[in-house]
Amino acid sequence: MAFLPDLSVDIGGLKIKNPVITASGTFGYGNELTPFYDPSLLGAIIVKGLSLKPIPGNPPPRIAETPCGLLNAIGLANIGIKAFIEERLPSLVKIKAPIITNIYGHNIKEYAEIAKRIEKVDRIAAIEINISCPNVEEGGMAFGTDPDTAAKVTNQVVKNTTKPVIVKLTPNVTDITIIAKAVESAGAQAISVTNTIMGMAVDVTTRRPKLTNIIGGLSGPAIKPIALYLVHKVVANVRIPVIGLGGIMDYHDALEFLLVGARAIQVGTANLINPKAAMEIVNGLTDFCMREKIGNINEIIGSLKTK
Amino acid sequence: MNKMLEEVVSIEFNRQIGKDTCLLGFRSASLASLAKPGQFLMIHSGRETKDPLLRRPFSIHRIQDRNKLMMLYRIVGKGTSLLSALKENDPISVIGPLGNGFALPRPNEPSLVMAGGMGIAPLFFLTQVLKRVQKHKIKMFLGFPTSQEAVLIDQLKDLNIDLSLTTEDGSLGIKGLVTDLLDQYLGQELTNKPVIYACGPTPMLKKIAQKAIKSRLRCYVSLEGYMACGLGLCQGCAVKAANNKGKPYYYVCQDGPVFSAEMIDWEVM
C-alpha cells in the first residue's frame, strides 16, 4: 500500500518539507545545479557564505584531494551580501525551497550589519552564522573556538533579525559542547555540526604543501564518523535542534545522522561529485520510510538504540 | 547558462596509444551534439567508490560520426590509473559539456595551433572543426618530451595541416620546444597575422601568452585548474585575473577553460 511519509521538520521555527539542506560553499549561489534538477524539491538551500564586502579568496591551488576526502582553502571567496541580494537572489525566484544565507564577518559589528541587511529581505528564510571557517586569517574559526566570542556574535545577529538563527560550529575545539551551550544561551535557534576539520597535505616531490594556504578544511566521507560523533555529543547537551553534516553522500549516511538526533542534515561535498546527490537523498529517505512503514520522519530522529 | 547533462555511458574502447597515454571512446549523441572545441567533461570511473572521491576534468579530444566522443589522457595519479584499467562496456559517469570553448578565427584569419604534450587533447578537436567548417590555413607546432610520448602524428598528418614537430631530446622532429618555433615564426615578416590557440604546460603557455601580448596577436590559451566540481559550486579552480578592477580571480570551470591571453596575470603563473 502506497502512502507518502511526512518528512517535514521544524528547525527552530523554520518549517521545512524535508530534512535535506544543501551545505554552504557547495551549492554556489543557489541555481547552478538547475540544469540537473529543480532545487524546490529540497528542504532548504544554504548558499555560499556571504560577507559584508566581496572577498577575493585565497591564491590557488585552493583544493587537494585526499583519501575519501577533499581538502579546501577557498578563503570564503564571495561576491558580498549586496551583490547577492541585488544580482543573484532575483534569479532564484522559481526556486520554491527556503533560502538560507550563511554569513561571515571580520568582526562582530560586520555580523550585525549583515543580519540587518538580511532582515529586510523576505526571500531569505533564515541565517546561518559561520564562526567556523578555518581558511581565513581573521575572524572565522577564531570566533567559533572561544565560547564568549561565539556567544557575542550569536547575540548580535539574533538582536538584529527576526529570522531563525543557526550557528555553524567548528570541530576544531577540545569540547564542542561548551561552544554549543554558549550559542544556545545567546539565543541561537539551531546549531549546524560540523564545519570542516583542519588538515594539510604535502607534495613530496616539490616539498611544498598542496594548498598555497598551507592548511585547509577537510570534508567528505573521510570525516563522517567524526561528524556523527560530534552531532551525538551536541544533541545530548542542548535543547535546540541540531543540523548534522560532514561527509553525507547518500540517504543511508543521512539516516545515520537523523538516528543520532540531527533534526535535519546538510549535503556538502556530495553535490560537487554528484549534482543530483541532495535530490537523491530526499528520494532515498522517502523510499526508506515507505519501505519501513514510517509515517513521519520524526519517528526516526534521535531513535538510536544504545542498549 | 550552458546546457549540460549527466550521463552514464559505456566505454567503447580504452587503449594505450603511447607512453602513459590513453585514448578512451564512448557514444553519446546528446553530448556530441552539444560539445564545442575547448569544452570539457567531468568524469568519474565509479561513482560508488569514495577513493578517488572527485570527478576529474578531461577535455573533449575528438568527435566522430556525430555520436562518438573521445578523450586523450595521461596516467598521472590514482584516478587516471583506475580509469586506464577500465575495459570495453564498463560504465563511466560523465557530466558535460562544460566551460566556454575556443572562439573561432575571423574570416581569412590563419590559425597557429600550439600544443605541448597532452595539450593536443582539446586542440585536435579544434583543428578538426577549423578544417571542416572553415577553410583556414592552419599551422601547428606540436611538442613532446621524447618520441615515446609522441602520439597522434599520423592522424594529424591526415588532417592535412602544416605540422611542425619538436621533442626535447631531438628523438623526433626538431630538437627543442614549441616555443622555440614561435620565436622563429614571429621573427619573420607576417603579412597576415594569425590567431594563436595554445594548450600545454603552464610555463609554455606563459611564454606564448607573453609573446602574443607583446606582438599584439590574438591568443587563446586553454588552462588547467585543480577542480572539485567543474560546475561553479566550489570556487576551487581560481586563476588570477590580470585586471584587478573586475574580478580578482577567474574560475577555470566557468570563465574558462579558454582565456584570451591578456585576461590572465601571467606573473604569478
Side-chain angles (χ1 to χ4, degrees), chain B residues 77-128:
Chain B
K78 191 170 180 179
T80 41
S81 169
L82 288 170
L83 185 67
S84 71
L86 295 182
K87 304 262 179 297
E88 191 186 327
N89 294 327
D90 282 342
I92 49 169
S93 165
V94 182
I95 294 178
L98 303 169
N100 57 357
F102 290 104
L104 294 179
R106 296 176 182 135
N108 301 319
E109 190 179 30
S111 310
L112 172 59
V113 180
M114 298 186 67
M118 281 302 97
I120 188 61
L123 294 175
F124 191 98
F125 185 17
L126 174 74
T127 309
Q128 248 189 335

